[in-house]
Amino acid sequence: MRDNQNTDLIHNPKGGMPRLLEIMRALRDPVGGCPWDIEQTFATIAPYTIEEAYEVADAIEREAFDELKGELGDLLFQSVFHAQMASEQGLFDFNDVADTMSDKMVARHPHVFGDESPDKSAEQQTQDWEKIKAAERAAKAQAGVLDGVAAGLPALLRAVKLQKRAARVGFDWPEIDMVLDKVSEEVTELRETTNAEDQFEEFGDLLFVMANLARHMDIDPEAALRAANAKFTRRFEYIEDQLAQRGKTPAQSDLAEMDGLWNEIRLADKVTKSDT
């Protein structure tokens, strides 16, 4: 243990937030810290931050609440890591992060913390929230409608956010059938492409309009795709289990056999769904 570490705090199981901050400071200490932690930067840590956010979402999706505490801790540690690096550069520290968030929440909830009436519907609060955020963007000289939509967001999520922003100023299809027509149009264009560059572009256009369709249907496309991934995983595991009972692996099977097993589990899913 190094002399410049608060040993008692680091080993205090009830040390709370101060303990975590001290552990992070010790890990980044040039003298006696962890070599891996010391060499990290904002850019190298950012992918881990995104990954931890998704692991939180995954635990919630699976209702694995026994895991959620740990996953939230992992995500919190990412904020602590970034704040420590910022503090070392004289930019800000963790308290500044917390204060900034607190100021934002107080400013965005005048019906809770200010003089506005608390008698608001959730819909009215959403409208007021957007007005407050628009004023915040204006204060940051973000005059464009699409300014402030983070480029680092997952592509599907960013597509929905861009479309929502454009819709606020009337740039939107008024009817869902028009969006469905656009989906068909993009599928046709994708079918007709003959080179890789055009296929790449048309595929992107199709994904973008599918995100728009999800928005019009009030569906979270990320959540829908996660559910589809989970369903595919469960059904493929059924194929593996059934093949194992026949003394086979998927590599020793063929498409016809696996497709037959796929149809079995798909039919079973439909029966289960109809019974609920």
Side-chain angles (χ1 to χ4, degrees):
M1 183 64 65
R2 303 293 175 176
D3 293 338
N4 58 349
Q5 293 179 11
N6 187 332
T7 306
D8 291 340
L9 179 57
I10 287 175
H11 291 282
N12 179 3
K14 300 295 184 182
M17 199 68 224
R19 180 191 185 196
L20 183 58
L21 292 171
E22 176 63 15
I23 289 171
M24 184 71 256
R25 189 197 65 77
L27 289 172
R28 289 277 297 182
D29 192 329
V31 180
C34 171
W36 186 90
D37 290 278
I38 292 169
E39 70 180 16
Q40 300 310 307
T41 66
F42 293 116
T44 62
I45 289 298
Y48 296 102
T49 307
I50 295 170
E51 179 181 342
E52 296 299 350
Y54 275 110
E55 290 185 0
V56 167
D58 177 66
I60 294 171
E61 184 82 18
R62 294 183 290 109
E63 297 186 356
F65 299 117
D66 55 330
E67 299 177 21
L68 183 57
K69 178 176 70 173
E71 298 298 351
L72 287 170
D74 291 342
L75 184 58
L76 174 61
F77 186 71
Q78 294 299 306
S79 293
V80 169
F81 208 136
H82 286 288
Q84 176 62 32
M85 291 186 290
S87 177
E88 292 165 4
Q89 297 179 32
L91 302 174
F92 55 81
D93 61 19
F94 187 81
N95 286 333
D96 294 325
V97 174
D99 289 342
T100 298
M101 193 68 239
S102 297
D103 290 344
K104 183 186 293 185
M105 288 299 100
V106 170
R108 289 185 178 181
H109 295 83
H111 59 297
V112 177
F113 305 110
D115 299 329
E116 288 190 7
S117 170
D119 298 326
K120 282 187 179 183
S121 66
E123 181 179 358
Q124 181 60 51
Q125 170 54 23
T126 299
Q127 294 173 359
D128 291 349
W129 179 279
E130 294 299 339
K131 291 178 182 177
I132 293 170
K133 290 201 294 184
E136 291 173 355
R137 290 194 296 271
K140 296 178 182 178
Q142 295 177 344
V145 172
L146 305 181
D147 287 352
V149 180
L153 288 172
L156 268 179
L157 177 58
R158 187 165 193 262
V160 172
K161 286 184 173 291
L162 290 170
Q163 293 158 5
K164 282 183 177 179
R165 288 281 189 89
R168 289 178 199 160
V169 296
F171 191 71
D172 194 16
W173 282 294
E175 299 176 4
I176 194 170
D177 284 346
M178 300 175 71
V179 188
L180 288 166
D181 289 341
K182 187 62 177 177
V183 171
S184 298
E185 177 186 325
E186 294 297 347
V187 170
T188 298
E189 290 180 358
L190 182 58
R191 286 180 181 274
E192 294 175 350
T193 55
T194 57
N195 63 74
E197 183 177 351
D198 289 343
Q199 287 174 344
F200 180 87
E201 180 178 351
E202 296 299 342
F203 187 79
D205 291 345
L206 178 58
L207 285 179
F208 191 82
V209 75
M210 286 300 296
N212 208 338
L213 178 61
R215 181 177 62 85
H216 276 265
M217 297 179 72
D218 197 25
I219 292 173
D220 179 345
E222 290 280 349
L225 186 55
R226 284 198 301 271
N229 288 340
K231 180 169 64 177
F232 178 85
T233 300
R234 179 175 53 79
R235 288 180 175 179
F236 194 81
E237 287 173 347
Y238 172 84
I239 292 174
E240 290 179 312
D241 289 342
Q242 293 300 307
L243 288 174
Q245 292 180 27
R246 301 175 186 180
K248 293 182 178 181
T249 66
Q252 295 167 331
S253 181
D254 56 32
L255 179 58
E257 184 178 27
M258 288 190 287
D259 199 40
L261 292 170
W262 178 273
N263 288 332
E264 282 182 13
I265 185 61
R266 187 178 65 170
L267 179 59
D269 286 345
K270 288 183 179 180
V271 171
T272 301
K273 185 178 294 186
S274 66
D275 289 341
T276 57

